[in-house]
Amino acid sequence: MLIIILPLFGRRPGVPKEVSKEENQKLSRMDADCYKLCEKLIPDTYVHQGQQARQVHQNKIKHLLQQKKLPEEGWSDLTIEILLQEFSVMDSNNFPGNCGVGEREARVFSPLVLKRHYNFGHGIGRSGEITAIQPKAAGSSLMMKLTNSLALDLIRLCGIPSVKSCFVVPMATGMSMVLSMLTFRLIRPNAKFVIWPRIDQKSCIKSIITAGLTPVVVENRLEGDELRTDVQAVRDKVAELGADSVLCIFTTTSCFAPRAPDRLEEIGKICKDNDIPHLVNNAYGLQCTKCTHLIQQTARTGRVDVFVQSTDKNFMVPVGGSIIAGFDDKLLERISKTYPGRASMSPTMDLFITLLSMGSKGYKTLVKQRKELHTYLQTSLSQCAAKHRQRLLNITHNHISMAMTLTVDGSSATDIGSKLFTRCVSGTRVVSQTGKISDINGQHFCNFGAHSDVYPCSYLTAAAGIGMTKDDVDTFISRLDKVLSKGKMLPYNSINETVVDKTDDILSPELSGNEKSQGEGTLQSSPTQSDDANLS
């Protein structure tokens, strides 16, 4: 296809910032002249047809620039690539005859790397702010601004309509929470404690410690099969420490069963009454309407300052990015200014391309399918559990993750997980109570991974994440059924029955030595846990 750069943006390389009406008309005439010249090479009817087809792409791009919202229908790869090319020629490293004499001029040695990045090399932001405009990277800056706008529009569509601002950062959720807490620290310099309802994901506890703060762990309450927030214990900690010494209360929405999302509304009211910032780890919660509803309601009736979500877990892009969002423009601007230096634009570009490819209708469809598959997975796992004299735990408040009991005779429950892993089943977690103590950056936890010191049984988890298919569920259940059939399963009679694992060493060869040497063997976790055990 003949690529002719059209005047889409009003300002282009070599064109002054203020483009006069006469200059715009001149540019339009130049484009028309190019088409006229084409008519000397091929019949004019073909040229007009091609011009009309090009106009379709141009109209989509124009609408995006005008509305700064997600298109309803997803774009074709061709339209997206045309826009990326339009943006890339606006960066100085792609100017014809450009002479760069600075230390950072988007010089890229490998043509393959340059091709992978569509000729972008400047990154996003400036040394003082990650959302600042770069004078020599107009195209990169446009993409950054548009991606933040699209992300904001999608967060509202997902069920948080009152969100005011957000921006994409090239860090996963753990480091993004560090950035948020460091900003709180600038605002509340005398506060050093973070009250944290326990969630056994290492990135959470490590983010508090990395920010130079002191975690105050609040243990969960066992209500039936579920582990739920002990709201009264949170109140007691605020009273004990004093509100002025508490930097923030750090809650969680999306999590592994049998833990349920935190009681956000009650915590939000505590934060509002005591003027304490509220930070929410919403890692993979955008895909779940229950999680987004919790955040919206808490912001309406109580207080939510910042909520952080992963790009890879919610939008099916490579790992490396997250979205920091909130209900106060000035606070979000302050967080963006806390980020030191420029940043990679890879996560931004990945999200930009993906959102345009999905469109709002496409994302809504994926969310609906995930919800339906959660029900299907729940039913299938319950039937498989019953077949092997186990049961599905009754986790009514967690709408992503679920768990079934594992009572095994003569072997470790985590042996089930190892066998699943060797059969190419990833993402599940097997938790077996051992009573061991884990040391995580100086903090000690009993049975880390179970969200509780004394959860009464061993269990296996599975989650219905966005992008999952019915075939994934059927394959998982088939392989789980075969593994359980070969194991010596004991009947599970009561949630109050405590199953103690007497074996320590039944781990896969890849993980057994490392986990034990690092002191992470407080629960016997199967290799299916893999990186998912540290979901942030």
Side-chain angles (χ1 to χ4, degrees):
M1 177 178 180
L2 181 63
I3 301 297
I4 301 173
I5 304 301
L6 298 176
L8 299 176
F9 312 113
R11 184 189 180 192
R12 310 180 61 190
V15 180
K17 185 174 183 179
E18 297 297 330
V19 181
S20 67
K21 182 178 180 181
E22 291 75 15
E23 288 169 328
N24 268 325
Q25 290 175 344
K26 183 179 179 181
L27 287 171
S28 297
R29 285 197 299 272
M30 288 174 61
D31 290 318
D33 290 343
C34 286
Y35 284 116
K36 285 291 184 183
L37 291 172
C38 290
E39 292 175 10
K40 294 182 179 181
L41 300 172
I42 61 175
D44 58 355
T45 54
Y46 300 159
V47 174
H48 295 160
Q49 192 176 39
Q51 189 175 3
Q52 290 169 0
R54 177 64 190 234
Q55 188 67 41
V56 172
H57 299 295
Q58 185 178 352
N59 289 341
K60 289 182 179 180
I61 294 171
K62 183 178 180 181
H63 187 266
L64 174 68
L65 293 168
Q66 287 176 335
Q67 301 299 319
K68 297 184 287 291
K69 290 186 177 181
L70 209 59
E72 184 175 358
E73 298 286 347
W75 287 10
S76 68
D77 290 349
L78 179 59
T79 304
I80 295 171
E81 287 187 329
I82 289 173
L83 179 57
L84 292 175
Q85 289 165 353
E86 294 282 359
F87 281 169
S88 69
V89 298
M90 298 176 72
D91 281 7
S92 63
N93 60 298
N94 297 313
F95 289 1
N98 183 68
C99 176
V101 294
E103 80 288 352
R104 180 191 286 120
E105 297 297 333
R107 302 182 184 100
V108 181
F109 174 80
S110 169
L112 186 61
V113 171
L114 195 61
K115 182 180 178 181
R116 172 179 177 260
H117 292 275
Y118 283 92
N119 296 309
F120 292 99
H122 284 287
I124 59 173
R126 304 187 72 181
S127 58
E129 184 180 353
I130 194 173
T131 56
I133 304 300
Q134 288 191 64
K136 58 184 177 183
S140 297
S141 299
L142 269 171
M143 187 187 300
M144 178 266 294
K145 289 290 186 182
L146 275 174
T147 304
N148 291 343
S149 295
L150 296 181
L152 183 65
D153 184 43
L154 188 56
I155 290 172
R156 288 169 175 164
L157 288 173
C158 286
I160 313 176
S162 62
V163 63
K164 290 291 181 61
S165 181
C166 78
F167 61 96
V168 179
V169 285
M171 305 185 296
T173 52
M175 289 304 296
S176 296
M177 292 183 290
V178 171
L179 186 66
S180 301
M181 283 185 270
L182 288 174
T183 306
F184 291 159
R185 196 172 186 178
L186 295 173
I187 299 169
R188 300 166 67 86
N190 297 322
K192 65 176 183 177
F193 297 109
V194 175
I195 296 176
W196 176 58
R198 178 174 169 178
I199 171 79
D200 286 0
Q201 296 168 340
K202 291 179 185 177
S203 59
C204 297
I205 185 69
K206 286 186 175 182
S207 68
I208 299 171
I209 295 167
T210 302
L213 301 164
T214 303
V216 178
V217 183
V218 176
E219 292 292 337
N220 299 301
R221 291 170 54 89
L222 183 60
E223 299 180 7
D225 291 350
E226 284 188 303
L227 291 166
R228 310 238 31 217
T229 316
D230 190 336
V231 177
Q232 186 55 50
V234 173
R235 289 196 187 96
D236 293 342
K237 287 297 182 183
V238 172
E240 175 189 337
L241 299 170
D244 291 340
S245 67
V246 178
L247 184 90
C248 69
I249 299 180
F250 184 10
T251 59
T252 303
T253 55
S254 51
C255 52
F256 292 114
R259 196 188 190 281
D262 279 316
R263 299 182 189 270
L264 254 63
E265 289 190 63
E266 291 92 329
I267 300 298
K269 289 175 182 176
I270 294 173
C271 292
K272 183 178 181 180
D273 293 342
N274 293 276
D275 193 25
I276 297 173
H278 187 186
L279 173 63
V280 180
N281 173 19
N282 189 46
Y284 44 103
L286 282 183
Q287 61 188 277
C288 177
T289 54
K290 294 294 182 181
C291 292
T292 56
H293 177 74
L294 276 176
I295 294 173
Q296 176 62 30
Q297 284 296 102
T298 305
R300 185 179 65 83
T301 61
R303 175 172 177 172
V304 173
D305 293 79
V306 176
F307 57 100
V308 179
Q309 36 274 310
S310 165
T311 54
D312 64 279
K313 298 184 190 80
N314 290 288
F315 304 111
M316 296 186 288
V317 296
V319 172
S322 62
I323 303 172
I324 300 177
F327 302 88
D328 184 337
D329 290 328
K330 293 183 179 179
L331 175 60
L332 269 291
E333 181 181 356
R334 191 158 185 176
I335 295 173
S336 73
K337 289 182 177 180
T338 303
Y339 187 99
R342 286 174 173 81
S344 166
M345 76 176 299
S346 289
T348 294
M349 189 189 302
D350 289 343
L351 185 60
F352 182 67
I353 292 171
T354 301
L355 292 182
L356 290 178
S357 184
M358 282 182 178
S360 60
K361 185 180 290 185
Y363 194 74
K364 288 176 183 177
T365 299
L366 286 168
V367 170
K368 181 182 178 183
Q369 289 173 349
R370 190 214 66 83
K371 189 174 182 179
E372 292 168 350
L373 280 169
H374 177 269
T375 302
Y376 181 65
L377 175 60
Q378 202 170 46
T379 302
S380 301
L381 190 59
S382 178
Q383 291 171 350
C384 183
K387 178 180 177 180
H388 297 281
R389 302 187 294 177
Q390 305 300 303
R391 73 177 181 87
L392 190 73
L393 296 175
N394 186 21
I395 315 295
T396 59
H397 292 89
N398 192 325
H399 296 269
I400 298 176
S401 179
M402 62 198 72
M404 63 169 280
T405 63
L406 280 183
T407 56
V408 187
D409 181 25
S411 65
S412 169
T414 55
D415 192 34
I416 300 295
S418 297
K419 290 176 179 177
L420 285 171
F421 183 72
T422 59
R423 287 161 176 78
C424 297
V425 174
S426 62
T428 62
R429 300 172 76 240
V430 173
V431 177
S432 180
Q433 307 299 318
T434 64
K436 292 184 180 179
I437 304 299
S438 285
D439 184 330
I440 300 175
N441 289 60
Q443 300 292 316
H444 296 90
F445 296 88
C446 181
N447 287 332
F448 188 83
H451 315 295
S452 169
D453 290 351
V454 290
Y455 196 78
C457 71
S458 300
Y459 57 84
L460 174 146
T461 71
I466 193 166
M468 187 184 222
T469 65
K470 183 176 180 293
D471 187 55
D472 290 330
V473 176
D474 293 338
T475 302
F476 163 59
I477 295 299
S478 174
R479 293 174 185 176
L480 176 62
D481 178 49
K482 291 178 182 178
V483 169
L484 294 180
S485 296
K486 294 179 181 180
K488 296 179 180 180
M489 308 303 295
L490 297 175
Y492 187 83
N493 299 317
S494 169
I495 188 64
N496 295 317
E497 177 184 354
T498 301
V499 179
V500 179
D501 189 349
K502 297 181 180 180
T503 58
D504 294 338
D505 301 319
I506 305 180
L507 286 173
S508 72
E510 294 88 348
L511 295 185
S512 58
N514 290 336
E515 289 200 356
K516 290 170 69 177
S517 65
Q518 294 171 3
E520 297 175 6
T522 62
L523 73 132
Q524 290 284 322
S525 298
S526 75
T528 59
Q529 180 175 351
S530 187
D531 290 336
D532 296 320
N534 300 322
L535 281 174
S536 46

